[in-house]
Amino acid sequence: MSEKNVLYMARTTRYYDFASTLTSTMGVEVNAATPDSPTAARDFDLLILDADGIRNDRIEQIAKWLDDRGNIPMLVIVDDDGLSGLHMPSRSRSDFICSGASEIELEVRARRLMGEEDAFSVDDVLRVDNMTINLATYQVYLDDQPVDLTLMEYSLLSFLAMHPNRAYSREVLLHRVWGFEYCGGTRTVDVHIRRIRSKVGPQIAAHITTVRGVGYLFKG
């Protein structure tokens, strides 16, 4: 039996299989509960909450419940069209992930919330042509040479690379990379994209496509 447990909480089971991939990647046991009967859950080390159909005040209540249980971390799954209306609890150990994220991103975020960054395998990295993105150490390499990216540049590049062949608006990228409290304009995204393209070279820059009238897409 696994030493650690994850609770998947949702009104439906639409992403239960996605959450359950942590059983093979992390060796944890994944159990399910609904937001209306959370006290039925056994002891667990991470809550994965599908935000679909759940109001922000209910998310706040769940966060307080987790705090009372020993500050258990929470990972919220949110659809792209729900990003602008999502308000993450400020006092809790929480993070969010887009519903179309990869299993690798799910594992990385779960490990960080559970304090297992050092346990992440260096083999679990993203590779695109001559570029390697180490999701555990926040480092990017071109032909095994480190690329000097700021944290925001890294976050933007890694988000796009982990969601290939999907166009994201500048507003969604602002929410996902800069956070919900960011007050700057969407031009910030354009500036960072330009800097990333100049740093990663023409081969990788060609993967970062401007989608007219929408935003950006990373061609896989």
Side-chain angles (χ1 to χ4, degrees), residues 24-45:
S24 59
T25 59
M26 292 182 61
V28 298
E29 183 176 340
V30 180
N31 299 293
T34 69
D36 303 311
S37 58
T39 54
R42 296 183 291 173
D43 290 338
F44 56 95
D45 303 282

Short mmCIF file of all heavy atoms in Angstrom, two decimals, residues 24-45:
data_model
loop_
_atom_site.label_atom_id
_atom_site.label_comp_id
_atom_site.label_asym_id
_atom_site.label_seq_id
_atom_site.Cartn_x
_atom_site.Cartn_y
_atom_site.Cartn_z
N SER A 24 0.81 5.64 -10.81
CA SER A 24 1.95 5.05 -11.51
C SER A 24 3.18 5.96 -11.48
O SER A 24 4.31 5.47 -11.43
CB SER A 24 1.58 4.73 -12.96
OG SER A 24 1.17 5.89 -13.64
N THR A 25 2.99 7.28 -11.49
CA THR A 25 4.13 8.19 -11.55
C THR A 25 4.73 8.48 -10.18
O THR A 25 5.93 8.74 -10.05
CB THR A 25 3.75 9.52 -12.22
OG1 THR A 25 2.68 10.13 -11.48
CG2 THR A 25 3.31 9.29 -13.65
N MET A 26 3.89 8.46 -9.14
CA MET A 26 4.37 8.79 -7.79
C MET A 26 4.18 7.68 -6.78
O MET A 26 4.70 7.76 -5.66
CB MET A 26 3.66 10.06 -7.28
CG MET A 26 4.03 11.33 -8.02
SD MET A 26 3.19 12.79 -7.32
CE MET A 26 3.85 12.79 -5.64
N GLY A 27 3.43 6.66 -7.13
CA GLY A 27 3.19 5.58 -6.20
C GLY A 27 2.21 5.92 -5.09
O GLY A 27 2.23 5.29 -4.03
N VAL A 28 1.35 6.93 -5.32
CA VAL A 28 0.37 7.31 -4.30
C VAL A 28 -0.95 6.63 -4.59
O VAL A 28 -1.22 6.20 -5.71
CB VAL A 28 0.17 8.84 -4.28
CG1 VAL A 28 1.47 9.55 -3.91
CG2 VAL A 28 -0.36 9.35 -5.61
N GLU A 29 -1.78 6.55 -3.58
CA GLU A 29 -3.13 6.02 -3.74
C GLU A 29 -4.09 7.17 -3.94
O GLU A 29 -4.04 8.16 -3.21
CB GLU A 29 -3.54 5.20 -2.51
CG GLU A 29 -4.90 4.54 -2.63
CD GLU A 29 -5.24 3.67 -1.44
OE1 GLU A 29 -4.30 3.28 -0.72
OE2 GLU A 29 -6.43 3.39 -1.22
N VAL A 30 -4.97 7.09 -4.94
CA VAL A 30 -5.90 8.15 -5.26
C VAL A 30 -7.32 7.69 -4.94
O VAL A 30 -7.79 6.68 -5.47
CB VAL A 30 -5.80 8.57 -6.74
CG1 VAL A 30 -6.80 9.69 -7.04
CG2 VAL A 30 -4.38 9.01 -7.07
N ASN A 31 -8.00 8.45 -4.07
CA ASN A 31 -9.38 8.15 -3.70
C ASN A 31 -10.27 9.32 -4.11
O ASN A 31 -9.79 10.42 -4.35
CB ASN A 31 -9.50 7.92 -2.19
CG ASN A 31 -8.66 6.74 -1.73
OD1 ASN A 31 -8.93 5.60 -2.08
ND2 ASN A 31 -7.63 7.02 -0.94
N ALA A 32 -11.57 9.08 -4.18
CA ALA A 32 -12.50 10.09 -4.66
C ALA A 32 -13.52 10.46 -3.59
O ALA A 32 -13.89 9.65 -2.74
CB ALA A 32 -13.22 9.60 -5.91
N ALA A 33 -13.95 11.73 -3.64
CA ALA A 33 -15.00 12.23 -2.76
C ALA A 33 -15.67 13.40 -3.47
O ALA A 33 -15.16 13.92 -4.46
CB ALA A 33 -14.43 12.68 -1.41
N THR A 34 -16.84 13.81 -2.99
CA THR A 34 -17.53 14.96 -3.57
C THR A 34 -17.35 16.17 -2.67
O THR A 34 -17.11 16.03 -1.47
CB THR A 34 -19.03 14.67 -3.74
OG1 THR A 34 -19.64 14.60 -2.44
CG2 THR A 34 -19.25 13.37 -4.49
N PRO A 35 -17.49 17.39 -3.23
CA PRO A 35 -17.35 18.60 -2.41
C PRO A 35 -18.42 18.72 -1.33
O PRO A 35 -18.26 19.48 -0.38
CB PRO A 35 -17.49 19.74 -3.43
CG PRO A 35 -17.18 19.11 -4.75
CD PRO A 35 -17.67 17.69 -4.65
N ASP A 36 -19.52 17.97 -1.48
CA ASP A 36 -20.61 18.05 -0.51
C ASP A 36 -20.44 17.10 0.66
O ASP A 36 -21.15 17.22 1.66
CB ASP A 36 -21.94 17.77 -1.22
CG ASP A 36 -22.18 18.73 -2.37
OD1 ASP A 36 -22.01 19.95 -2.16
OD2 ASP A 36 -22.49 18.26 -3.48
N SER A 37 -19.52 16.14 0.53
CA SER A 37 -19.30 15.20 1.64
C SER A 37 -17.81 14.95 1.83
O SER A 37 -17.36 13.81 1.77
CB SER A 37 -20.03 13.88 1.36
OG SER A 37 -19.59 13.32 0.13
N PRO A 38 -17.02 16.02 2.07
CA PRO A 38 -15.58 15.83 2.18
C PRO A 38 -15.14 15.11 3.45
O PRO A 38 -14.09 14.48 3.47
CB PRO A 38 -15.05 17.28 2.19
CG PRO A 38 -16.18 18.07 2.76
CD PRO A 38 -17.41 17.42 2.24
N THR A 39 -15.95 15.18 4.50
CA THR A 39 -15.54 14.58 5.76
C THR A 39 -15.52 13.06 5.69
O THR A 39 -15.00 12.41 6.59
CB THR A 39 -16.47 15.02 6.89
OG1 THR A 39 -17.83 14.71 6.53
CG2 THR A 39 -16.36 16.53 7.12
N ALA A 40 -16.10 12.51 4.61
CA ALA A 40 -16.08 11.06 4.46
C ALA A 40 -14.72 10.55 4.03
O ALA A 40 -14.46 9.35 4.03
CB ALA A 40 -17.13 10.63 3.44
N ALA A 41 -13.83 11.47 3.65
CA ALA A 41 -12.53 11.07 3.14
C ALA A 41 -11.61 10.57 4.25
O ALA A 41 -11.66 11.03 5.39
CB ALA A 41 -11.87 12.25 2.44
N ARG A 42 -10.74 9.64 3.89
CA ARG A 42 -9.71 9.18 4.81
C ARG A 42 -8.58 10.20 4.85
O ARG A 42 -8.61 11.21 4.17
CB ARG A 42 -9.19 7.82 4.36
CG ARG A 42 -10.25 6.71 4.41
CD ARG A 42 -9.64 5.38 4.01
NE ARG A 42 -9.28 5.37 2.58
CZ ARG A 42 -8.60 4.38 2.01
NH1 ARG A 42 -8.18 3.36 2.74
NH2 ARG A 42 -8.35 4.41 0.72
N ASP A 43 -7.58 9.92 5.67
CA ASP A 43 -6.43 10.81 5.72
C ASP A 43 -5.77 10.88 4.35
O ASP A 43 -5.67 9.87 3.64
CB ASP A 43 -5.41 10.31 6.75
CG ASP A 43 -5.92 10.47 8.17
OD1 ASP A 43 -6.82 11.31 8.38
OD2 ASP A 43 -5.42 9.76 9.06
N PHE A 44 -5.34 12.06 3.96
CA PHE A 44 -4.71 12.24 2.66
C PHE A 44 -3.67 13.35 2.76
O PHE A 44 -3.66 14.15 3.70
CB PHE A 44 -5.75 12.56 1.59
CG PHE A 44 -6.61 13.76 1.89
CD1 PHE A 44 -6.26 15.02 1.39
CD2 PHE A 44 -7.74 13.65 2.68
CE1 PHE A 44 -7.04 16.13 1.67
CE2 PHE A 44 -8.52 14.76 2.96
CZ PHE A 44 -8.18 16.00 2.45
N ASP A 45 -2.78 13.39 1.76
CA ASP A 45 -1.65 14.32 1.77
C ASP A 45 -1.78 15.43 0.72
O ASP A 45 -1.02 16.40 0.75
CB ASP A 45 -0.35 13.54 1.52
CG ASP A 45 -0.16 12.43 2.54
OD1 ASP A 45 0.26 12.74 3.66
OD2 ASP A 45 -0.44 11.27 2.20
#
